[in-house]
Every structure is written in structure tokens, then in C-alpha cells.
Amino acid sequence: MTNRYLTVLAAVMAVALACGAPESKEIAGWDVSDETSGETLDHRPWQEILDAYVGTDDMGVNLFDYATISASAADTAKLGDYLDYLQGLDPSVYSRAEQMAYWINLYNALTVQVVLSEYPVDSIKEIHEGVIPNTGPWQDPHAQVNGRDLSLDDIEHGILRPLWRDKRIHYAVNCAAYGCPHLLATAFTAANTEELLEQGAHDYVNNPRGVDFVDEDFIVISSIYDWYTEDFGNTEESVVAHLIEYADEELAARLEGFAGSIDYEYDWSLNAP
């Protein structure tokens, strides 16, 4: 390919990416579960990694210490073994509650492994297998479950979003960016998923990267509410209503009746110390 062709193609891709995030579109074959199953999955290795490498900065944002884990052969192997364990399972033999936790943890652990595979980087968007720079790794196949190759986009937009139809999934999956909702310090399980979804929503909305009042007539909110507006009611009014639902009392009072301007921002720098 010529440099000119790549430049034009990059421009086209940039426009496409700016026009919106992937739509929620179910990938056939993943909607099978066994609600009679009492089997549970072992997420303890992932919990041990979260305990060791997730910390919070002075802005209240959870960060992952990629530098330190990359120097630990034992813990990088533990992460790899955990991902092998998840990919060796057949999700269809578990309940939907177990499956939801399974897919969220797989997404988050896989994202950490993807970053570590190219670390050090300043942003996950620098990681990509194609010729277009700064498009990120989300469409590249990084996992295989039941013999099927899966990308991060497949997990989020082809399985989690369409099968569960829960807007709080956006607060559960972490894309390794500072502007993203937390990589929560607790592994998801069937027993705690509801609690963690609520926690993730509350933590994000009440942090400036979720909602930031510039003045009484102008707020800056996360681009997530623009990219995935269909999941939040398809209007700015419905987005604000969602923010009020999870806002603390003071923030909710400021958002009630807000009729000013809204802008959207997102920080793609790596969620690292």
C-alpha cells in the first residue's frame, strides 16, 4: 500500500470511528444456558491479581499497575492460566448469572493481557494488528471459546449488551483507559454482579470523568453517553435522568431541571499509575 492510500484510509477510519461505537448486535449461539445448574466458576486467580495491582489515585480513579505485574513472571503466568481456564469452559452449561460474570471477567482480564502484550504504551489505542494506527485492539481476535474466535468487541457488543440489555454493563467492562469506568477491585461472580453493577454506575457518575459541571449552564459528561446513547434512552434528557438516578444528593440536585449545554469528553490515556 502507498503512503497516500494509508493516509486516506486512516482518515476514513477516523471519520467512521467518530460517527459512533459498535452497535449492540447479538452473535448467534451464545444465548444458551442451564438454569438448573448449580455449578460455580473459580475467579479467585483474577481476584488475587486485582488485589495486588489495582489502586486508586487522588482523583478517585482505579488504576492498574501494568509496570509491576509485567515484571512478575508468576503473576503474568497466573493471568494467562486464568484466561486459559475461562476459555476452556463451555458457558452454555452454566446459569445466566454465572455467564454474565464469566463474560465480564473474561473481557477485563483479556484487556489487561492485551495491554501487557505491548507494554509500555501510553494508550490502549496504540495496540492494533491492522495497518490503521490508533484504532485499538477491540476488533482483533484475542480469545477462543467453544472453538470460536472472539474479539473484545464480540464479547461486549455481540454477547453482553444484546443478551442482557443492561445499560450498567458499560460500568462493568473496562477498556484500560483513564476515562473509562473503573476496573473494579472485585472480581464479578453470580452472587455479587448486581451489587457491582450498581457500585460501578455510582462510582462513575459521581466522578468528574462521568459528570463535570463547568458552570450551572454547561456540563461535560463522558463520551460513553454519546457513543452508546441508545442504551441510555436515545436522548440527552434520558441520559441526564440516568445520571440523576445514580448521582449523590448534591449532584442530583444540580442535574434536576438542567437545561444548559452538554459536551462530551473521554481520556484515552492508559489507566496506569
Coordinates of all heavy atoms in Angstrom, one line a residue, residues 14 37 39 49 59 93-94 104 117 119 158 182 184 205 223 225-226 234 236 273:
A14 N -11.0 7.2 10.8 CA -11.2 8.2 11.8 C -12.6 8.8 11.8 O -13.2 8.9 12.9 CB -10.1 9.3 11.7
S37 N -28.4 -25.5 36.6 CA -27.1 -25.8 37.1 C -26.7 -25.0 38.3 O -27.0 -23.8 38.5 CB -26.1 -25.4 36.0 OG -24.7 -25.5 36.4
E39 N -23.5 -25.1 39.3 CA -22.0 -25.0 39.2 C -21.6 -23.6 39.2 O -22.2 -22.7 38.7 CB -21.6 -25.7 37.9 CG -21.8 -27.2 37.8 CD -20.9 -27.9 38.8 OE1 -19.7 -27.5 38.9 OE2 -21.4 -28.9 39.4
I49 N -5.1 -11.1 41.4 CA -4.4 -10.1 40.6 C -5.0 -8.7 40.9 O -4.2 -7.8 41.0 CB -4.6 -10.5 39.1 CG1 -3.7 -11.8 38.8 CG2 -4.2 -9.4 38.2 CD1 -4.0 -12.4 37.5
M59 N -7.7 11.3 42.4 CA -8.9 11.7 41.8 C -10.0 10.6 42.0 O -11.1 10.8 41.5 CB -8.7 12.0 40.4 CG -7.9 13.2 40.1 SD -8.7 14.7 40.7 CE -10.1 14.8 39.6
V93 N -23.3 -24.4 29.8 CA -23.7 -25.4 30.8 C -23.9 -24.7 32.1 O -24.2 -25.4 33.1 CB -22.7 -26.5 30.9 CG1 -22.5 -27.2 29.6 CG2 -21.4 -26.0 31.5
Y94 N -23.7 -23.4 32.2 CA -23.9 -22.6 33.4 C -25.2 -21.7 33.4 O -25.7 -21.5 32.3 CB -22.7 -21.7 33.7 CG -21.4 -22.5 33.9 CD1 -20.6 -22.8 32.8 CD2 -21.0 -23.0 35.1 CE1 -19.4 -23.5 32.9 CE2 -19.9 -23.8 35.3 CZ -19.1 -24.0 34.2 OH -17.9 -24.8 34.4
I104 N -17.9 -10.8 31.7 CA -17.3 -9.6 32.2 C -15.9 -9.8 32.7 O -15.0 -9.0 32.3 CB -18.2 -9.0 33.4 CG1 -19.5 -8.5 32.9 CG2 -17.4 -7.8 34.0 CD1 -20.5 -8.1 34.0
S117 N 0.8 -7.3 26.6 CA 1.4 -7.9 25.4 C 2.2 -6.9 24.7 O 3.2 -7.2 23.9 CB 0.4 -8.6 24.5 OG -0.4 -7.6 23.8
Y119 N 3.1 -3.7 26.3 CA 3.5 -2.7 27.3 C 5.0 -2.5 27.2 O 5.8 -3.4 27.0 CB 3.1 -3.2 28.7 CG 3.3 -2.1 29.8 CD1 2.4 -1.1 30.0 CD2 4.5 -2.1 30.6 CE1 2.6 -0.1 30.9 CE2 4.7 -1.2 31.5 CZ 3.8 -0.1 31.7 OH 4.0 0.8 32.6
G158 N -21.5 -8.1 21.0 CA -22.2 -9.3 20.4 C -22.8 -10.2 21.4 O -23.6 -11.1 21.1
H182 N -14.4 2.4 36.3 CA -13.4 1.6 37.0 C -13.2 0.2 36.5 O -14.2 -0.5 36.1 CB -13.8 1.5 38.5 CG -13.6 2.7 39.3 ND1 -12.6 3.6 39.1 CD2 -14.4 3.2 40.3 CE1 -12.7 4.5 40.0 NE2 -13.8 4.3 40.7
L184 N -13.0 -2.5 38.4 CA -13.4 -2.7 39.8 C -12.4 -3.6 40.5 O -11.9 -4.6 39.9 CB -14.8 -3.2 40.0 CG -15.9 -2.2 39.6 CD1 -17.3 -2.9 39.6 CD2 -15.9 -1.0 40.5
V205 N -20.6 8.0 37.8 CA -21.4 9.2 37.7 C -21.0 10.2 38.6 O -21.0 11.4 38.3 CB -22.9 8.8 37.9 CG1 -23.7 10.1 38.1 CG2 -23.5 7.9 36.8
S223 N -18.0 10.6 27.1 CA -18.4 10.3 25.7 C -19.2 9.0 25.7 O -19.8 8.7 24.7 CB -17.2 10.2 24.8 OG -16.6 11.5 24.7
Y225 N -21.8 8.3 27.1 CA -23.2 8.6 27.0 C -23.6 9.1 25.6 O -24.8 9.2 25.3 CB -23.6 9.6 28.1 CG -23.3 9.1 29.5 CD1 -22.3 9.8 30.2 CD2 -23.9 8.0 30.0 CE1 -22.0 9.3 31.5 CE2 -23.6 7.5 31.2 CZ -22.6 8.2 32.0 OH -22.3 7.7 33.3
D226 N -22.6 9.4 24.8 CA -22.8 9.8 23.4 C -22.7 8.6 22.5 O -23.5 8.3 21.7 CB -21.8 10.9 23.0 CG -22.0 11.4 21.6 OD1 -23.1 11.4 21.1 OD2 -21.0 11.8 21.0
N234 N -31.6 7.2 24.3 CA -31.6 7.9 23.0 C -31.7 9.4 23.0 O -31.8 10.0 21.9 CB -32.6 7.2 22.0 CG -31.9 6.2 21.1 OD1 -30.8 6.3 20.8 ND2 -32.7 5.3 20.6
E236 N -30.6 13.3 25.2 CA -29.9 13.9 26.3 C -30.7 13.9 27.5 O -30.1 13.8 28.6 CB -29.4 15.3 25.9 CG -28.2 15.2 24.9 CD -27.6 16.6 24.7 OE1 -28.2 17.6 25.0 OE2 -26.4 16.6 24.2
P273 N -0.7 3.8 37.0 CA -0.2 4.8 37.9 C 0.8 5.7 37.2 O 1.6 5.2 36.3 CB 0.5 4.0 38.9 CG -0.2 2.7 38.9 CD -0.5 2.5 37.4

